[in-house]
Amino acid sequence: MDFEWSEDDLHHRAEFQSFLRDFLPDNWDDLSQGGPGSDLQAEFSRTFCRALADRGWLTQHWPIEYGGQDAPPWRHSIIGEECWAIGEPRGPQYMNVNWIGPAVMRFGTEEQKREHLPPISRGEVLWCQGFSEPEAGSDLVALRTSAIRDGNDYVINGSKIWTSYVNHADFIILLVRTDPSSAKHRGISVLLVPTDTPGIEVREIPSVVGERYFHEVFFTDVRVPTRVRLGPEDEGWSVVTYALQYERVGAARYARAAFTLDRLAELARERGLLDDPLVVDRLAEARTLCEAARMLTYRVIDQRAHDLPPTTDTQIARVANTTADYRVGELAVEILGPDALEYGSFADANFRLAMTAGVAVGSTEVQLNLIAARHLNLPRE
Amino acid sequence: MNFELDDDQREILNAVNALLERHAGHARATALAQKVEYDHRLDTALADAGFDAAIDPLTLDGALETILIIEAVARAAGVTSFPAQALVARAVAGRAVAGPVALGSGDLQSPIRFGAHAHSFLFLVEGEARLARLDVGDAEPIASNFGYPFGRISRQAIARSESVGPQSGERLLNWWRVAVAAEAVGTMSAALDQTVAYLKDRRQFGRAIASFQAVQHRLAECAVRVEGSRLLVYEAAYQHAPEEASACAAAYALESARQLFRETHQLSGAIGFTREHSLHAWSMRLHALGTELSGVSGHRRALAAARWGTR
């Protein structure tokens, strides 16, 4: 074991931080308040990710043949940590580079790789994920959106829900049931669908998280060629499982929480609240949660660096991350008091992003189920 | 960065686990507890195997290797001051200190873990570490329900102490935090394993208790706590106990220890409180460890001071 960054990694981080200082606009704090999917941030991501790509940093962990540099996963995680901490200037594109690209590499045809990987690695394209449905939330395998073969096409009908980023996305990575007679894991396929395909309708679901955060997407006789299918027909569940392993630790929530916590401590100091030992105690407790989540996430990255198969350490890291994120969010409201009530204030903005932590990307309860079954080997009924 | 054990670390762990299988375990801990005794036999076995002397915690890998041994000893419910002797005293004094070693801070007349059996008493007073040699009659045993032998050390013995040197107080605080957190990790993981095994076996309402989701989620949360604690301890040890990382590891691990006590006992039911069931051999210790260095609130205070300059 060795818990030290290499000289290369340290240098890389310093270089990237300096790039961020130069590149981000002065009003970045305001601009980034709405989260990665806000209009401002989605738009900014197009400039920012192109600049990252120009410097070879956007997809450095990818193989050279797909526009990467074969850099160790640690290098990419440094970028992820620095970006997520300050509010993710890559916008929705963090998903592209973390798991959509790798899923295309793993399961895609040569044609799909040629079509999708270069634009992702150049930072020119936005994606969203169409997984959840009104009747398939935590129980994702209950999904019903259908894609029925008609010659060389699929005809898609159904709807997706909670879809972030779809209002800006060029493509949606869509889970559909290609075998309507099937149930559960069998009969699911993954389609890579351009969002401008006729028959797709997007409606915003107003929420207290923020504007244009959640959407519902309706598919009415949407016709796409079968060649947009990623991986084997009816066996898309393995694609999803692969993708989710990446996604669950893709967002460095611990870094965002730790960064927010340091700023909260400064705000508390300005208000004279650091003289209160109870405030100090709560801040320190939150710090321990961020640090535990960081190390648990690093362990997952390390396993990836060693090319080891995914384990429930991913779920363990995920639970720790959401706990830390949530705690810091609620602490900001608690410590800053009535100031938190103003829309767009520091505490408000952070709380809105933090409060979805345990629900997004698979609820905490589903993660705990997996830890119980596979890490502790607890029996089913 | 590399989270995998290297060959040396694996070899050390195998050797120490083989030794602990012969010389430790909850039955032995329980038997010793009834007589308020210390496990000199285990100390001798660890010394004979070279675990106390062969590894210098101040070398690059030494601290982490010592931590692995401490965690294993705690998992096996060893009744030994090995953590204080092999890690804390050695790192603070920069040399081997005669064992058993007891550690003290705050009110030195309060119960001290291993106080009645120690040959050396390393304690913190006014920011300085001091070391006292203890002879027969310098301490008296104190009855306790908290899984270790405790003793009260006489004022005369404390008055005979000598300073360990400049900055020794900070070193003592930091290494002690790492050591106690490592003991908590080993102890928690054994308490959790014990509870999981029992709940898989115990049937109520016609099914294993461990198959109820209400139970499973709580055990899974415990597992997250144990895993996180362990990694924070390893990192702090690897970095040779810097103030912030040590305080953070201790604050998280000892808070986790409180939760582990509560959950393992609640889920184990009445049997968990009995002497015939082994959970107490580990669980009661979690609260004993939680009292050292002002406990969780003390660790958090230290963490905030290191991180944000609070007082």
Side-chain angles (χ1 to χ4, degrees), chain B residues 180-201:
Chain B
V180 74
E183 291 190 83
V185 169
T187 310
M188 283 191 283
S189 75
L192 180 59
D193 287 355
Q194 165 68 35
T195 305
V196 164
Y198 173 69
L199 295 177
K200 279 182 181 174
D201 189 50

Side-chain angles (χ1 to χ4, degrees), chain A residues 132-137 139-144 159 161:
Chain A
S132 298
E133 294 183 6
E135 298 304 322
D139 184 14
L140 188 55
V141 296
L143 66 92
R144 295 194 299 212
S159 69
I161 198 167

Side-chain angles (χ1 to χ4, degrees), chain A residues 93-129:
Chain A
Q93 292 193 54
Y94 77 91
M95 293 199 315
N96 302 3
V97 298
N98 284 348
W99 64 269
I100 296 175
V104 171
M105 277 176 230
R106 167 99 175 231
F107 298 99
T109 60
E110 286 311 310
E111 188 192 349
Q112 288 170 331
K113 290 176 190 172
R114 269 198 309 276
E115 181 186 357
H116 293 300
L117 297 178
I120 290 180
S121 72
R122 289 195 302 263
E124 290 172 353
V125 63
L126 299 189
W127 284 74
C128 65
Q129 65 171 86

Side-chain angles (χ1 to χ4, degrees), chain B residues 49-90:
Chain B
F51 288 123
D52 64 335
I55 302 170
D56 180 352
L58 294 180
T59 58
L60 182 60
D61 296 327
L64 194 46
E65 286 169 0
T66 312
I67 283 291
L68 292 174
I69 300 171
I70 291 173
E71 184 189 338
V73 168
R75 267 186 68 83
V79 187
T80 163
S81 72
F82 180 87
Q85 187 184 357
L87 185 72
V88 184
R90 198 148 166 212

Side-chain angles (χ1 to χ4, degrees), chain A residues 1-6 9 74 258 261-262 265-266 269 274 280-285 287-289 291-292 294-296 298-299 302 306 308 313 315-316 319-320 323 327 364-369 371-373 375-381, chain B residues 1-6 9 60-61 64 68 192 196 200 207-208 210-213 215-217 219-221 223-225 227-232 234-235 238-239 244 247-248 251-252 255 296-297 300-301 303-305 307-311:
Chain A
M1 285 186 286
D2 133 29
F3 302 114
E4 208 159 25
W5 293 105
S6 68
D9 289 340
W74 288 111
L261 186 63
D262 281 341
E266 277 316 306
R269 184 195 308 283
L274 290 188
V280 170
D281 187 86
R282 300 294 304 274
L283 289 168
E285 187 204 4
R287 174 77 191 164
T288 66
L289 297 175
E291 285 289 272
R294 178 180 59 82
M295 284 302 279
L296 289 166
Y298 282 2
R299 178 166 68 173
D302 184 66
H306 284 99
L308 295 170
D313 288 347
Q315 280 75 34
I316 290 175
V319 171
T323 307
R327 182 64 58 86
T364 300
E365 287 69 22
V366 171
Q367 315 301 314
L368 293 174
N369 282 348
I371 296 167
H375 178 74
L376 295 174
N377 299 312
L378 302 183
R380 286 167 126 26
E381 275 181 50
Chain B
M1 290 280 174
N2 186 356
F3 280 59
E4 290 191 334
L5 296 176
D6 64 28
Q9 291 162 344
L60 182 60
D61 296 327
L64 194 46
L68 292 174
L192 180 59
V196 164
K200 279 182 181 174
R207 54 194 272 204
S211 70
F212 288 100
Q213 196 181 43
V215 171
Q216 292 192 343
H217 282 189
L219 292 171
E221 299 256 24
V224 173
R225 280 278 173 176
E227 297 292 309
S229 301
R230 179 181 290 121
L231 296 182
L232 287 177
Y234 288 178
E235 187 185 42
Y238 180 84
Q239 295 172 346
E244 187 183 328
C248 184
Y252 186 81
E255 171 62 32
V296 171
S297 59
R300 286 185 188 160
R301 229 174 4 250
L303 167 57
R307 180 81 197 160
W308 300 299
T310 56
R311 295 195 191 187

Side-chain angles (χ1 to χ4, degrees), chain B residues 108-124:
Chain B
L108 298 177
Q109 289 305 296
S110 62
I112 301 287
R113 186 151 60 113
F114 307 124
H117 303 88
H119 280 130
S120 304
F121 182 39
L122 179 63
F123 60 94
L124 187 74

